[in-house]
Amino acid sequence: MEILRTVAELRRWSRALHCEGKTVALVPTMGALHAGHASLIRAARARASHVVVSIFVNPTQFGPNEDFNRYPRAFEADCALAGAEGAAVIFAPPVEEMYPAGAATFVDLYSLTDRLDGASRPGHFRGVATIVAKLLIAAEPDQAIFGQKDAAQVAVIRRVVADLCLPTEIVVCPIVRDSDGLALSSRNVFLSPIERTQALALSRTVRLVEALSASGERSRSILVSAARKVMSAEPDLRVDYVALVDWATLQPVDVAVPGSLFALAAKVGPTRLIDNTILA
Ligand code: PAF
């Protein structure tokens, strides 16, 4: 498996494949790959002849007091996992490659980015939109694969791709959970054993909301208050948001329809975790 460090190399690689009639899928990541990423790489392999996994801890999507410096980094293990899942190339640029000296261009959305995670992480989605646009412009992939766990991020990326007329298809894969229900996240390594038990309140809440919805409950106020009740039963969990929204606009909806996003975020100790479900 090849490791590419520059945009020029990545673009050359992708264009050469396209010239031969091959297809390219991009799996954008910040590394610390786990089984959730492995499922994204497999989904990419199923759709394209060649897969590139980008590994870049993007500084612009972290706030000044967030965990950029301590974000887990495991490059060797990441390359091994990506290779074993069939990736052809790793794109791991240095920061100066993606943000050259004097960089002054950002992708700023006029809506969406102040909702859900954007409300408590100002600037986060601007950083995500910017780096994902750069990666799509650099790799020119036929598909880019994202996980539903970051559902608000998916809404932002779909908006960016539509607004910038980028020709890449955005593919969204289901959340992968541990056997105890916890949604896989690179940040789970920060959880102590006791925090991990507390964190299970998130997936418990998601399951309750899915069950209520399956039994016909559609009202936002009822679903949200039932969810808050489960979460508040775990006293050390600090709820950030519990929301029923339209998945495209991230605006609250009073009545759930098929495809509505029920999303939640909470802090367990210093670690912020998210989870969600798309209602049937
Ligand atoms: O979901 C992530 O890991 C990141 O937000 C992404 C999409 C790779 C952009 O840095």
Side-chain angles (χ1 to χ4, degrees):
M1 200 183 42
E2 234 182 318
I3 297 172
L4 306 181
R5 301 282 181 188
T6 70
V7 167
E9 285 170 336
L10 176 62
R11 187 169 289 143
R12 211 165 29 243
W13 173 79
S14 171
R15 286 190 178 172
L17 287 168
H18 283 129
C19 280
E20 292 170 22
K22 303 281 185 357
T23 51
V24 171
L26 167 70
V27 181
T29 82
M30 296 204 299
L33 303 184
H34 49 63
H37 296 110
S39 78
L40 303 184
I41 300 170
R42 284 196 296 278
R45 282 286 291 131
R47 285 168 173 82
S49 63
H50 289 72
V51 173
V52 49
V53 175
S54 63
I55 298 180
F56 180 67
V57 185
N58 173 36
T60 64
Q61 70 188 75
F62 290 81
N65 299 317
E66 292 185 356
D67 55 358
F68 174 71
N69 285 327
R70 74 178 201 122
Y71 195 84
R73 287 160 173 89
F75 190 66
E76 301 302 318
D78 289 348
C79 291
L81 183 147
E85 294 298 345
V89 153
I90 297 280
F91 177 55
V95 172
E96 323 76 78
E97 182 68 12
M98 301 317 286
Y99 297 99
T105 306
F106 278 84
V107 176
D108 244 324
L109 289 81
Y110 286 98
S111 63
L112 294 178
T113 48
D114 58 348
R115 307 272 321 138
L116 303 187
D117 310 280
S120 43
R121 303 185 66 190
H124 170 66
F125 284 134
R126 179 187 200 241
V128 170
T130 301
I131 193 64
V132 171
K134 285 173 185 253
L135 290 169
L136 295 180
I137 289 166
E140 300 178 340
D142 300 277
Q143 285 102 12
I145 321 289
F146 296 89
Q148 183 201 306
K149 189 176 77 64
D150 298 299
Q153 165 172 286
V154 166
V156 168
I157 291 166
R158 283 179 169 149
R159 190 71 260 160
V160 169
V161 165
D163 291 352
L164 298 182
C165 309
L166 297 173
T168 301
E169 180 195 355
I170 300 302
V171 176
V172 182
C173 294
I175 297 175
V176 178
R177 298 181 180 281
D178 259 331
S179 53
D180 58 7
L182 187 67
L184 294 190
S185 160
S186 301
R187 289 189 169 94
N188 290 354
V189 297
F190 295 142
L191 299 171
S192 68
I194 179 104
E195 287 169 346
R196 207 197 141 84
T197 311
Q198 293 160 353
L200 293 179
L202 275 82
S203 51
R204 215 162 33 241
T205 305
V206 164
R207 281 200 302 276
L208 171 82
V209 168
E210 284 171 344
L212 286 172
S213 161
S215 71
E217 186 54 69
R218 301 269 109 194
S219 151
R220 171 164 58 116
S221 61
I222 291 176
L223 292 172
V224 167
S225 64
R228 282 192 176 275
K229 205 162 153 196
V230 179
M231 293 174 86
S232 61
E234 192 57 72
D236 291 320
L237 202 75
R238 297 178 324 280
V239 177
D240 178 357
Y241 65 74
V242 179
L244 176 69
V245 299
D246 177 295
W247 194 7
T249 63
L250 302 183
Q251 290 298 327
V253 293
D254 289 334
V255 178
V257 294
S260 295
L261 166 66
F262 194 94
L264 36 106
K267 268 191 154 182
V268 186
T271 309
R272 188 174 181 281
L273 298 174
I274 56 177
D275 204 340
N276 70 75
T277 181
I278 307 298
L279 297 181

